[in-house]
Structures are given as C-alpha cells and as structure tokens.
Amino acid sequence: MKRLENAFVTLNGWALILMLSAMALIVGANISLRYLTGHSLPWADEAARYLMIWLTFISAGLILRTGGHVAITNLQDALAETGQKLLRAGIVLILLTFFGFMVYVGWQYAQRMQYQVTPALRLPFIYVYAAMPVGFALLIVHLLLIARPFIQAGEYKPLHAFGVEDDTLPGGANG
C-alpha cells in the first residue's frame, strides 16, 4: 500500500511539474516572439490560463497532505485529546462530503460545457472544466490516505515524503 501511495504522490507531483513547465515555456516563447518579431502566439494566453486552472485543482491534494491549507486550530487546541480526535474525524467527514459534492457538481458543469469550444485553441470546454472534478477526486484520495494519522494525532505527511528535507524550510515541516 505504501508503494502505491508513493507512486500516486509521485505521479501527482510530476503532473504538476509538466504543467508548470509547459506553462512557462508557452509564456516565455510568447514573450520572446512578441519582442523579437512583433507578433505573438494567438493561443498562448488561453493555454497558460487553462494550465493554471489545472495546476490549481491538481495541486490542492498535495497541499492538503502537508497541512498547507489555511486552518484555525483554536477550538481543537481548547479540547481534550478525545474531543480533538472527534473534531478531526468530523472535519474529515465534512471534507469528504464536500469534496464528493464538488466532484458531482464539477462533472455536471463540465458536461454542460462539452459542446462549447475555447476561442483560440478550439478545445471543447469539457477539458477545461474537467479540472474541477478531477482535482476534487484527487483531494478525496489524498484525504483518505492521510485521514488516520490526522484523526489520531493531528499529523500531516512530512515534506520529506516528497523529496524535500524539513530543515530546508523555516521552522521545519509544519513551521
């Protein structure tokens, strides 16, 4: 199971690297062409925008794994250990419900947009809007993979699981 989880996280990370690289190359080429030739790629801004949308949704699960999303822990800190575990279990259930709902809503919306095409790329909008259900589905998988340590001890996956050493960041992994 651990190997499968590591492969999943690695693939998710590589997908982000490829999308960010493609976005940087497209924007860089467009800027270079604009200043060198006076002409730009008509589809570059649109492609970069859609890559940014996909990056946002696909990266949310990896950020969730490390506790990188905004959290207010005043209530949790005020509770006894059993209360903290119950609160964290409730949070996991609420998040799973919300993420599942967003997969459903995102898929419905993407299907409604399948016959419209983007102005410059002429790409069906379903490919753009599919970022939402795919991203939330990945959030469900990531949440399920970290749920037990989070509920039991409020722990997230350390950054060194992604090839980053804790001491490279100020304050360590959670700091």
Side-chain angles (χ1 to χ4, degrees), residues 1-11 145:
M1 182 65 174
K2 192 68 173 166
R3 286 182 67 191
L4 188 61
E5 180 179 356
N6 287 339
F8 172 69
V9 170
T10 301
L11 284 172
L145 290 171

mmCIF file of all heavy atoms in Angstrom, residues 1-11 145:
data_model
loop_
_atom_site.group_PDB
_atom_site.id
_atom_site.type_symbol
_atom_site.label_atom_id
_atom_site.label_comp_id
_atom_site.label_asym_id
_atom_site.label_seq_id
_atom_site.Cartn_x
_atom_site.Cartn_y
_atom_site.Cartn_z
ATOM 1 N N MET A 1 0.831 -1.201 0.000
ATOM 2 C CA MET A 1 0.000 0.000 0.000
ATOM 3 C C MET A 1 0.871 1.259 0.000
ATOM 4 O O MET A 1 0.539 2.235 -0.661
ATOM 5 C CB MET A 1 -0.929 -0.042 1.220
ATOM 6 C CG MET A 1 -1.861 1.116 1.314
ATOM 7 S SD MET A 1 -3.012 1.105 -0.056
ATOM 8 C CE MET A 1 -4.071 2.399 0.369
ATOM 9 N N LYS A 2 1.965 1.224 0.750
ATOM 10 C CA LYS A 2 2.853 2.379 0.837
ATOM 11 C C LYS A 2 3.482 2.683 -0.529
ATOM 12 O O LYS A 2 3.615 3.846 -0.904
ATOM 13 C CB LYS A 2 3.934 2.111 1.895
ATOM 14 C CG LYS A 2 4.716 3.323 2.272
ATOM 15 C CD LYS A 2 3.840 4.289 3.014
ATOM 16 C CE LYS A 2 4.670 5.436 3.548
ATOM 17 N NZ LYS A 2 3.828 6.526 3.976
ATOM 18 N N ARG A 3 3.857 1.634 -1.287
ATOM 19 C CA ARG A 3 4.437 1.834 -2.614
ATOM 20 C C ARG A 3 3.411 2.455 -3.558
ATOM 21 O O ARG A 3 3.750 3.314 -4.367
ATOM 22 C CB ARG A 3 4.937 0.501 -3.183
ATOM 23 C CG ARG A 3 6.221 0.022 -2.517
ATOM 24 C CD ARG A 3 6.702 -1.259 -3.130
ATOM 25 N NE ARG A 3 7.124 -0.997 -4.501
ATOM 26 C CZ ARG A 3 7.402 -1.946 -5.372
ATOM 27 N NH1 ARG A 3 7.264 -3.214 -5.039
ATOM 28 N NH2 ARG A 3 7.792 -1.646 -6.588
ATOM 29 N N LEU A 4 2.168 2.017 -3.446
ATOM 30 C CA LEU A 4 1.105 2.562 -4.280
ATOM 31 C C LEU A 4 0.869 4.042 -3.954
ATOM 32 O O LEU A 4 0.708 4.874 -4.855
ATOM 33 C CB LEU A 4 -0.177 1.751 -4.091
ATOM 34 C CG LEU A 4 -1.328 2.056 -5.026
ATOM 35 C CD1 LEU A 4 -0.931 1.797 -6.472
ATOM 36 C CD2 LEU A 4 -2.533 1.200 -4.668
ATOM 37 N N GLU A 5 0.876 4.349 -2.663
ATOM 38 C CA GLU A 5 0.711 5.743 -2.242
ATOM 39 C C GLU A 5 1.863 6.601 -2.749
ATOM 40 O O GLU A 5 1.655 7.705 -3.262
ATOM 41 C CB GLU A 5 0.614 5.841 -0.721
ATOM 42 C CG GLU A 5 0.436 7.258 -0.219
ATOM 43 C CD GLU A 5 0.310 7.359 1.295
ATOM 44 O OE1 GLU A 5 0.293 6.311 1.976
ATOM 45 O OE2 GLU A 5 0.228 8.495 1.787
ATOM 46 N N ASN A 6 3.093 6.103 -2.619
ATOM 47 C CA ASN A 6 4.255 6.861 -3.097
ATOM 48 C C ASN A 6 4.186 7.076 -4.611
ATOM 49 O O ASN A 6 4.519 8.154 -5.106
ATOM 50 C CB ASN A 6 5.552 6.159 -2.721
ATOM 51 C CG ASN A 6 5.859 6.276 -1.245
ATOM 52 O OD1 ASN A 6 5.351 7.157 -0.560
ATOM 53 N ND2 ASN A 6 6.674 5.378 -0.739
ATOM 54 N N ALA A 7 3.754 6.047 -5.345
ATOM 55 C CA ALA A 7 3.620 6.181 -6.796
ATOM 56 C C ALA A 7 2.554 7.216 -7.137
ATOM 57 O O ALA A 7 2.739 8.042 -8.047
ATOM 58 C CB ALA A 7 3.288 4.828 -7.418
ATOM 59 N N PHE A 8 1.445 7.192 -6.422
ATOM 60 C CA PHE A 8 0.358 8.145 -6.635
ATOM 61 C C PHE A 8 0.833 9.573 -6.398
ATOM 62 O O PHE A 8 0.584 10.472 -7.214
ATOM 63 C CB PHE A 8 -0.813 7.796 -5.713
ATOM 64 C CG PHE A 8 -1.913 8.806 -5.700
ATOM 65 C CD1 PHE A 8 -2.727 8.991 -6.803
ATOM 66 C CD2 PHE A 8 -2.139 9.582 -4.570
ATOM 67 C CE1 PHE A 8 -3.744 9.929 -6.792
ATOM 68 C CE2 PHE A 8 -3.149 10.517 -4.548
ATOM 69 C CZ PHE A 8 -3.951 10.694 -5.665
ATOM 70 N N VAL A 9 1.530 9.793 -5.290
ATOM 71 C CA VAL A 9 2.024 11.125 -4.955
ATOM 72 C C VAL A 9 3.069 11.578 -5.975
ATOM 73 O O VAL A 9 3.066 12.735 -6.413
ATOM 74 C CB VAL A 9 2.590 11.144 -3.519
ATOM 75 C CG1 VAL A 9 3.327 12.439 -3.237
ATOM 76 C CG2 VAL A 9 1.472 10.935 -2.512
ATOM 77 N N THR A 10 3.936 10.658 -6.380
ATOM 78 C CA THR A 10 4.966 10.992 -7.365
ATOM 79 C C THR A 10 4.343 11.369 -8.703
ATOM 80 O O THR A 10 4.745 12.359 -9.326
ATOM 81 C CB THR A 10 5.939 9.810 -7.537
ATOM 82 O OG1 THR A 10 6.535 9.519 -6.269
ATOM 83 C CG2 THR A 10 7.019 10.123 -8.548
ATOM 84 N N LEU A 11 3.368 10.602 -9.150
ATOM 85 C CA LEU A 11 2.684 10.927 -10.408
ATOM 86 C C LEU A 11 1.970 12.269 -10.329
ATOM 87 O O LEU A 11 2.003 13.062 -11.278
ATOM 88 C CB LEU A 11 1.691 9.828 -10.772
ATOM 89 C CG LEU A 11 2.292 8.552 -11.334
ATOM 90 C CD1 LEU A 11 1.214 7.474 -11.478
ATOM 91 C CD2 LEU A 11 2.974 8.815 -12.667
ATOM 92 N N LEU A 145 -5.897 8.993 2.291
ATOM 93 C CA LEU A 145 -4.560 8.477 2.591
ATOM 94 C C LEU A 145 -3.953 9.081 3.857
ATOM 95 O O LEU A 145 -3.122 8.452 4.501
ATOM 96 C CB LEU A 145 -3.628 8.694 1.394
ATOM 97 C CG LEU A 145 -3.924 7.826 0.174
ATOM 98 C CD1 LEU A 145 -3.093 8.285 -1.020
ATOM 99 C CD2 LEU A 145 -3.670 6.356 0.475
#
